[in-house]
Every structure is written in structure tokens, then in C-alpha cells.
Amino acid sequence: MRAEQKSATRERVIASAQRLFVEVGFGATTIRRIAEDAGVSVGTVMSVGDKDSLLLAAFDGWIGAVHGARGEVSPGGDPVTRIGDVVQPFLDIFDADLHLAREYGAVLARGSQSTEVFGALAVALQNDFEAVFADAGLGPDAGPAARAVYLAYLGLVMTSAVVDSDAVAIRADLESVAAVLIRSTVADTQPEES
């Protein structure tokens, strides 16, 4: 019973933080305000996490919901566009509140906090990217290309706050990376002309 109550309190604190981050902004949201909104003490909020941790937990919830609702990557079509399509649902979260997404990117870039959802999502995205690259004919290079695109995606998300990029720019940059990987891999497999 106590574990259930602790879990319910944690969820209430995160829900309050999510709501306040969206309604009043990350900077204007204080731990005290989250505590008042959740109906708990400041100490209880701090036992769940500081503002950065609560922001990561909020995004974990949003990203986790999108991740859970995703379907399989369908075969066929332009592989570069398909790479963009794989990440678009996550970029839509960023577009919903670009300022908050930039705060999230800044927290990730600082590296002082970890996020639960990135573990499972990293594997899923790399698998999706690998399927796209395999369909594009990259053969044994599909796995390494998928890892490279995933790392590019992470870098683009984490630095979005610093370079002032939005979801459209992140997708365009990621698709450019995918296009280069496809072109270079295809060029490496072409027989040389004599």
C-alpha cells in the first residue's frame, strides 16, 4: 500500500510539473508552486526531483506515450523521407512548445540528469532506422548507418537550445545526414569504371 501511495504521489507531482511547465513556462515554475499545485510539501516534490529532473520526467511521459503508440515502419518509399517520418512524432512534441523543448534540450546537454525513456527508445529508433537502411540496400552497413543517424538525432535534439533550431530544422538536418550515408554507402558498393 505504501509503495502505491508513493507512486501515486510521484505521478501527481510530475503531472503538476507538466501542467505548470506548459501553462507558465519552465523559468516561472518553482518547486513551491509545483508543491502547491500537487497538494504536497516542498520536501515531497524534492524527493521526486529538482526542476530539471521533473522536466525530464514530463518529457519521458510525453515521449513514452508517443513511443507506445507508434507502429511498425512501413517498407517502401524514399528512405530519406522515411527516416524523417520515424522521428516526426517526437518532433511534434517539440513543436507543441518549442521553448519548453529547448529547456529540455539544455537539460540533456548539461548531462547532469538521465532519462528513462531514451534507453528503450534508442533501441527502437535504431531498429527502425536499420530497417529503412536495409530496405534502401545498405546491407551490412544498415546497422552502423542506423547508429550514426540515431546519434545525429540525439545531437540535434540536445543542441537545439544552443543553436536555436526547431523541429523542421532538426528533421531537415537528420534527413541530410541520412542522405549522405546512403549516397556514400551506395558509392562504395558501385564498381569502379575502368
Side-chain angles (χ1 to χ4, degrees):
M1 181 70 172
R2 186 170 170 94
E4 290 172 4
Q5 186 178 21
K6 185 176 180 178
S7 178
T9 299
R10 181 183 192 293
E11 293 306 313
R12 193 167 67 244
V13 167
I14 292 169
S16 290
Q18 284 176 322
R19 184 174 38 263
L20 290 168
F21 290 154
V22 170
E23 289 174 5
V24 300
F26 183 74
T29 300
T30 63
I31 294 294
R32 181 174 306 285
R33 193 162 183 183
I34 293 168
E36 289 169 4
D37 188 78
V40 298
S41 69
V42 169
T44 298
V45 173
M46 290 304 294
S47 73
V48 174
D50 62 9
K51 266 180 48 172
D52 285 356
S53 297
L54 293 172
L55 181 61
L56 291 182
F59 270 89
D60 272 0
W62 295 323
I63 292 169
V66 168
H67 176 51
R70 290 177 348 114
E72 298 270 325
V73 175
S74 7
D78 174 50
V80 171
T81 302
R82 288 175 62 206
I83 292 293
D85 290 346
V86 167
V87 297
Q88 189 60 52
F90 304 106
L91 296 178
D92 289 342
I93 294 170
F94 280 35
D95 264 351
D97 189 332
L98 195 53
H99 181 72
L100 193 57
R102 287 187 176 135
E103 292 286 352
Y104 174 70
V107 170
L108 288 175
R110 284 194 289 273
S112 60
Q113 305 282 333
S114 63
T115 173
E116 297 170 13
V117 78
F118 267 110
L121 184 58
V123 171
L125 286 177
Q126 287 182 64
N127 288 340
D128 289 351
F129 295 151
E130 187 170 358
V132 171
F133 287 131
D135 286 349
L138 269 63
D141 291 329
R147 281 188 294 284
V149 166
Y150 176 73
L151 292 173
Y153 171 66
L154 273 186
L156 290 165
V157 168
M158 285 200 250
T159 60
S160 64
V162 177
V163 298
D164 199 28
S165 61
D166 61 9
V168 172
I170 291 170
R171 179 174 176 153
D173 287 344
L174 188 64
E175 287 178 346
S176 294
V177 169
V180 167
L181 289 168
I182 291 168
R183 279 195 311 268
S184 67
T185 304
V186 170
D188 286 346
T189 61
Q190 299 294 320
E192 290 187 33
E193 293 181 25
S194 36

